[in-house]
Amino acid sequence: MNGPPEPFKIKMIEHVGMPDQIRRSEAIREAGYNTFLLRSEDVYIDLLTDSGTSAMSDYQWSGLLLGDEAYAGARNFYNLEKAIQDVLGYKYIVPTHQGRGAEHLMYSYLVKSGQLVPRNMYFTTSKLHVELPGGKMVDVIIDEAHDPENLHLFKGNIDFKKLQAFIDEYGVEKIAFVNVEMDVNMAGGQPVSMQNLRDLREFCNDYNLKIIYDATRSSENAYFIRERERGYENTPIIDILREMMSYSDGCIYSSKKDCLVNIGGFLATSDKDIFEHCRNMVVVYEGLHTYGGMAGRDMEAVARGLKESTSYEYLKYRINQVRYLGDLLMKAGVPIVKPTGGHGVFINALKFLPHLERKQWPAQTLAAAIYEDSGVRSMERGAVSKGRDKETGENIFPALELVRLTIPRRVYTNTHMEYTAESVIRLYEKRDSIRGLKMVYEPEYLRFFQSRFEVLESSKSYLET
Ligand code: F0G
């Protein structure tokens, strides 16, 4: 067995179609070789994201019927507040429609023009919400995180020397706050250790600096702490989570991942100033402070899902399914980010397609090729996602140029993992024949969502068959 069997049974299914090769070639061309622009009905296995794509439990579904759709003071808000207080330990919460709504409220309050936000690698929407009020996100993750081959068990850790260097160079008043992401998405779903979080608290206390987490995948991070960090082997996940959060001043959270729901987000803090400001601004941008853009029923599903996400049995199954796909690819020699992360398997496109130049967008190319080969939808996580330097306007080419095979929670079986691996391995065997793309349309913000590409050299397909 490749991990523990599923701790659930399936009682409802959704039929999916399998478009043939001709339709897939047509669909990806129509989508400008951007997997975000494909129609879902043209996709067989959807590994675009783990965001909002989870299967809810019967307990969550039954909660939907208990939605209190009052404009103000819905009972589900209080259930959500209590769940967050119990699981994460913060005092105050502000609900938002999804994670970026929380980023907007929190970061526009804490970031003043010209300030820096050190973070353990950027995330796309987080970086933008730091830049919009005039700030700049700077990277303070350990070097190991930028090396796909490095087997460090906590590649999400903060490098204190890098953080110190920013403080020394710019002065502590130029630092808006320190931002720590759990289970770092762009690094391949790599966790932060408890020791690192504890040390960061001490470090920041000396400078009176606030620490705000992006706690989006904190349950999965907590699982890795239990598996990998001495002293936590038998600690309940909920206790690990509460200790993690106790070292911060607040967090933003996209519920669409670990909370096993299709929509939702929140910010949480025990800091009264942050809370009062965000509670006030939420009514401007999201909705009243007891719903923040969510329906009552959605808040109920988040409250229930957050609790379910602290089940060790569930997390063990979840992380092992992702690892299973990673192992299948590694066995065939496909270069991926190691160790396999929490929410997906990240293929190293620079090593997969070494004959392509960076400006031929290797990861974008590979994501399109995987779709065309098998109907499996993945996502680029490299230079297209990173965007341009705000000051020079030049493309930034990060060390990691990755294709993310993101695994929705409780949705696919290991046979789906095997089908996906077979497609990637097939392409790896004929990788020399894969030709690159050129970008022909680029929107100003978060370009990866909507940019369009064409195949280099005129030909019907970039897969030479
Ligand atoms: N922070 C992290 C670490 C994320 O991964 C995301 C979303 C957000 C914030 C924003 O949350 O989507 O609810 O507004 N990540 C998705 C992904 C989109 O596919 O990785 P949101």
Side-chain angles (χ1 to χ4, degrees):
M1 186 138 14
N2 301 299
E6 286 79 354
F8 53 81
K9 56 184 177 175
I10 298 164
K11 70 171 158 192
M12 192 191 282
I13 59 102
E14 174 185 337
H15 291 285
V16 287
M18 163 64 104
D20 63 20
Q21 175 75 60
I22 293 171
R23 176 59 202 148
R24 295 198 300 268
S25 300
E26 202 176 66
I28 194 69
R29 196 173 55 248
E30 284 166 8
Y33 297 93
N34 183 346
T35 52
F36 276 101
L37 302 178
L38 286 166
R39 287 168 182 248
S40 161
E41 63 191 16
D42 283 324
V43 173
Y44 171 47
I45 298 178
D46 204 347
L47 307 185
L48 182 73
T49 177
D50 62 328
S51 182
T53 52
S54 297
M56 294 204 293
S57 65
D58 51 2
Y59 180 60
Q60 287 176 289
W61 276 106
S62 62
L64 294 191
L65 291 178
L66 303 176
D68 171 359
E69 305 306 341
Y71 187 90
R75 95 169 71 85
N76 314 106
F77 167 75
Y78 298 102
N79 293 345
L80 176 61
E81 184 181 56
K82 173 99 180 32
I84 294 169
Q85 287 166 343
D86 289 349
V87 174
L88 303 179
Y90 297 109
K91 219 160 154 184
Y92 309 114
I93 78 139
V94 177
T96 57
H97 75 287
Q98 58 183 80
R100 68 199 72 180
E103 290 174 335
H104 174 212
L105 300 178
M106 179 79 94
Y107 301 166
S108 63
Y109 176 53
L110 293 178
V111 180
K112 308 277 170 282
S113 185
Q115 282 191 314
L116 303 180
V117 176
R119 172 165 164 138
N120 51 348
M121 204 172 270
Y122 83 107
F123 181 70
T124 53
T125 56
S126 323
K127 176 168 167 277
L128 181 60
H129 281 296
V130 163
E131 286 171 359
L132 289 174
K136 187 173 181 192
M137 191 166 264
V138 291
D139 187 15
V140 291
I141 204 166
I142 57 172
D143 284 341
E144 286 86 340
H146 294 283
D147 174 6
E149 297 296 324
N150 193 295
L151 291 173
H152 196 292
L153 292 179
F154 289 102
K155 281 169 120 174
N157 281 354
I158 299 267
D159 182 331
F160 291 99
K161 280 204 268 345
K162 292 185 187 172
L163 182 54
Q164 186 70 57
F166 281 114
I167 295 173
D168 293 345
E169 188 174 348
Y170 296 94
V172 73
E173 55 300 332
K174 272 261 181 184
I175 311 290
F177 60 92
V178 179
N179 199 200
V180 189
E181 185 185 332
M182 299 300 138
D183 220 20
V184 184
N185 192 350
M186 302 302 275
Q190 303 295 330
V192 188
S193 73
M194 190 72 90
Q195 187 62 48
N196 197 250
L197 295 175
R198 203 179 293 127
D199 292 346
L200 181 67
R201 180 74 272 172
E202 230 173 78
F203 181 98
C204 289
N205 282 350
D206 289 346
Y207 289 102
N208 208 12
L209 271 174
K210 284 201 192 324
I211 301 172
I212 302 295
Y213 291 169
D214 182 332
T216 294
R217 294 182 181 84
S218 47
S219 297
E220 290 174 1
N221 197 113
Y223 174 83
F224 281 122
I225 288 177
R226 177 162 157 155
E227 291 293 284
R228 297 178 180 176
E229 198 160 346
R230 197 171 310 142
Y232 291 93
E233 302 80 0
N234 299 309
T235 313
I237 295 292
I238 192 165
D239 293 353
I240 298 178
L241 278 168
R242 289 183 66 120
E243 184 182 343
M244 287 160 67
M245 302 305 144
S246 75
Y247 301 128
S248 73
D249 295 285
C251 76
I252 70 93
Y253 200 118
S254 166
S255 311
K256 299 174 71 174
K257 285 79 171 175
D258 278 5
C259 292
L260 300 153
V261 294
N262 306 120
I263 195 69
F266 58 85
L267 64 87
T269 179
S270 296
D271 180 310
K272 202 142 192 263
D273 283 345
I274 295 177
F275 169 61
E276 283 189 352
H277 175 85
C278 294
R279 183 181 54 175
N280 188 207
M281 293 313 283
V282 76
V283 301
V284 180
Y285 292 108
E286 305 275 322
L288 194 74
H289 55 277
T290 55
Y291 76 87
M294 276 188 281
R297 55 180 172 270
D298 293 327
M299 289 191 282
E300 190 61 36
V302 176
R304 293 176 181 215
L306 178 60
K307 286 190 223 148
E308 284 184 17
S309 82
T310 65
S311 154
Y312 176 69
E313 286 64 37
Y314 152 69
L315 285 168
K316 188 168 182 180
Y317 140 77
R318 153 75 177 158
I319 301 291
N320 274 287
Q321 183 176 48
V322 178
R323 188 174 300 150
Y324 177 53
L325 176 59
D327 287 350
L328 290 174
L329 294 179
M330 273 192 283
K331 257 184 246 150
V334 176
I336 65 168
V337 174
K338 296 170 196 147
T340 301
H343 64 304
V345 175
F346 290 65
I347 305 169
N348 180 356
L350 291 182
K351 237 177 147 184
F352 198 112
L353 299 174
H355 55 286
L356 297 191
E357 290 166 25
R358 293 300 297 261
K359 249 197 121 179
Q360 297 175 348
W361 315 108
Q364 189 78 28
T365 302
L366 182 55
I370 294 169
Y371 170 76
E372 191 163 347
D373 180 72
S374 59
V376 173
R377 168 153 72 171
S378 59
M379 184 203 288
E380 187 267 4
R381 293 273 77 154
V384 181
S385 292
K386 180 84 183 184
R388 292 175 182 274
D389 185 289
K390 222 178 114 220
E391 276 132 40
T392 65
E394 293 297 318
N395 280 303
I396 308 171
F397 293 107
L400 298 180
E401 172 80 9
L402 309 174
V403 171
R404 187 180 73 175
L405 298 161
T406 340
I407 314 302
R409 296 168 182 80
R410 308 191 292 207
V411 171
Y412 291 114
T413 66
N414 280 357
T415 318
H416 290 113
M417 299 300 111
E418 287 157 15
Y419 175 90
T420 301
E422 278 165 21
S423 168
V424 175
I425 293 164
R426 197 162 43 241
L427 286 172
Y428 191 57
E429 279 157 7
K430 56 175 179 185
R431 57 193 178 277
D432 295 343
S433 67
I434 298 176
R435 280 179 283 148
L437 298 170
K438 67 172 182 223
M439 198 186 282
V440 294
Y441 169 70
E442 179 180 357
E444 187 175 352
Y445 298 114
L446 302 175
R447 66 181 181 181
F448 57 97
F449 283 131
Q450 294 156 336
S451 52
R452 300 184 71 86
F453 300 81
E454 278 172 10
V455 175
L456 280 173
E457 302 159 327
S458 62
S459 67
K460 228 167 113 243
S461 166
Y462 56 102
L463 278 181
E464 281 169 10
T465 43

